[in-house]
Amino acid sequence: MTGDTPDTVTDEVVASLRGTADPRLRELLTGLVRHLHAFARESRLTREEWERAVGFLTATGRMCTDTRQEFILLSDVLGLSMLVETVNDRHGPGTTQSTVLGPFHMTESPVRELGADIDLVGGGEPCVVSGRVLSRDGTPLPGAVVDVWQADGNGFYDVQRPDVQPAGNGRGLFTADGEGRFWFRTCVPSPYPIPTDGPVGGLLEATGRHPYRPAHIHFIASAEGHIPVTTHIFVEGSAYLDSDAVFAVKPGLVTDFAPVDDPSAAGGFGVPNPFRHARFDLVLEPS
């Protein structure tokens, strides 16, 4: 029988979980129940508020598609995604800091040759991104895989505007050379708003928050014998570095997209002159 006090209800629900065969699942569900019940007690959650919360989560689920993940977006704007990354970051000092995956790693990046241009639509400021994939002791990692994705010069990902951008625009899967080097051509990313036409946008509006992210490029770097890292590089001087809507900026990831006015260098990279050049090494922790 269900108890007649809030604490008794919580105890009985927790007791019902004791038969859960998987000990980690039992631990997670027990903690979730205790924290959710404590929140409801402390805030004196009303029936109407509970119903609105259920409706909000239902609407969030309905907004999800094969190319949009509204629940990840919700996790991002609540800081939960960044917290999970921080709690689980196993990279030691001197390695590349991790940050959120974001909601737009929804499709596989096309395999591209080193030096390829991932900006298939043009219109943005030309840019070269180059660097190395290294182990923590500085040893190059030949054959490391670098997955890259970014918004176009107008702040949209390919999956957001399939009628304007070809599939795979702003994306590339690169294999580092024998010295661990990678490089590719693109456009300088711009700040952009996360999607606000769904429940998450309504939440931001209700809380008086802006939806903008500073300019950035996403990376996942992996190499045999090492822990993969999910990270960004942020454009130095970009707006919103101090108020990222998903709390993902770390000072060590802010990168100089340096102006270059050198026809010879531009010709070597195959970009117009002048251009921007971002240099960024991805340093992995041995597993």
Side-chain angles (χ1 to χ4, degrees), residues 6 12 14 54 56 63 77 112 114 122 129 133 140-141 154 178 188 199-200 214 235 264 285:
E12 292 194 8
V14 169
V54 170
F56 176 83
M63 202 74 185
V77 303
R112 301 192 192 277
L114 291 174
V129 177
V133 186
L141 297 175
N154 295 314
V188 177
V200 172
V235 178
S264 176
E285 179 78 21

Side-chain angles (χ1 to χ4, degrees), residues 125 127 150-153 186-191 214-217 233 235 238 257:
E125 187 176 4
C127 176
Q150 70 169 85
D152 68 4
T186 184
C187 64
V188 177
S190 63
H216 62 275
I217 302 176
I233 57 172
V235 178
S238 172
F257 281 62

Side-chain angles (χ1 to χ4, degrees), residues 243-267:
S243 61
D244 182 8
V246 306
F247 310 100
V249 177
K250 295 181 177 180
L253 301 177
V254 178
T255 303
D256 182 19
F257 281 62
V260 179
D261 187 356
D262 183 338
S264 176

Side-chain angles (χ1 to χ4, degrees), residues 4 17 21 118 126-127 149 158 165 240 265:
D4 58 1
L17 301 171
I118 66 172
C127 176
W149 67 105
D158 57 346
Q165 298 186 45
Y240 308 108

Side-chain angles (χ1 to χ4, degrees), residues 109 118 146-150 170-174 184 217-219:
S109 297
I118 66 172
V146 181
D147 189 359
V148 179
W149 67 105
Q150 70 169 85
R171 301 178 190 268
L173 192 67
F174 299 94
F184 58 91
I217 302 176
H218 295 262
F219 291 83

Side-chain angles (χ1 to χ4, degrees), residues 40 43-55:
S43 63
R44 300 195 64 82
L45 189 68
T46 68
R47 293 186 186 92
E48 292 78 11
E49 290 164 344
W50 175 79
E51 289 173 355
R52 286 189 66 183
V54 170

